[in-house]
Amino acid sequence: MMDEDTLALFRSEAEGLIESLEARLLTLQTRPTDRELIDGVFRDLHTLKGSGAMFGRTDIAGFLHDFESAFEAVRSGAFAVDDELIVISLAARDHVAHLLAADSVGASGGEAILQRLAVHLEGGPLP
């Protein structure tokens, strides 16, 4: 079990990553092909996922796995950023913020967001 200071550090760093993720996603709406922004979103997701796993927040890590994969597909050119991906990703950002603030492992609500992402990726645009 981790002490409160360590968990507070994790929360603080995660909150910063969530803010960065939101800012990048909002900017990506107007610059959907900006490689630097796409890479930044991927890094934020990757770091949040990894930190979550490292600090025992498997709910956060597990939830973010599909979003990290989606942005890896964008980075590789297999999928393009569009308005729907941004909307879904912002909903995911909100869900992670809720999980973090509530400090409630296993909070519900993420399944619908993941389902929406899966459906979108199945029929989504290629560049």
Side-chain angles (χ1 to χ4, degrees):
M1 177 148 228
M2 288 188 212
D3 63 59
E4 277 303 310
D5 289 340
T6 303
L7 290 175
L9 178 62
F10 163 69
R11 277 192 220 81
S12 176
E13 289 182 5
E15 287 167 358
L17 287 166
I18 289 168
E19 288 176 20
S20 173
L21 178 62
E22 179 179 26
R24 286 185 169 130
L25 287 168
L26 291 173
T27 304
L28 202 55
Q29 286 180 308
T30 58
R31 297 182 359 221
T33 60
D34 186 318
R35 181 60 187 221
E36 186 176 323
L37 284 171
I38 292 166
D39 288 344
V41 168
F42 176 81
R43 277 192 311 275
D44 288 343
L45 291 167
H46 180 75
T47 304
L48 271 168
K49 181 184 123 181
S51 295
M54 185 171 69
F55 285 92
R57 294 302 305 264
T58 56
D59 56 336
I60 292 172
F63 176 75
L64 288 176
H65 175 77
D66 291 343
F67 283 92
E68 180 187 30
S69 296
F71 276 90
E72 180 59 34
V74 170
R75 291 173 76 205
S76 73
F79 197 82
V81 173
D82 62 5
D83 289 340
E84 183 66 7
L85 180 60
I86 299 294
V87 168
I88 297 167
S89 297
L90 286 169
R93 174 258 175 245
D94 292 346
H95 181 67
V96 171
H98 171 74
L99 289 173
L100 190 63
D103 202 26
S104 54
V105 174
S108 64
E111 301 83 18
I113 297 169
L114 292 175
Q115 180 63 31
R116 189 173 172 191
L117 176 67
V119 167
H120 182 65
L121 293 176
E122 286 174 11
L126 292 175

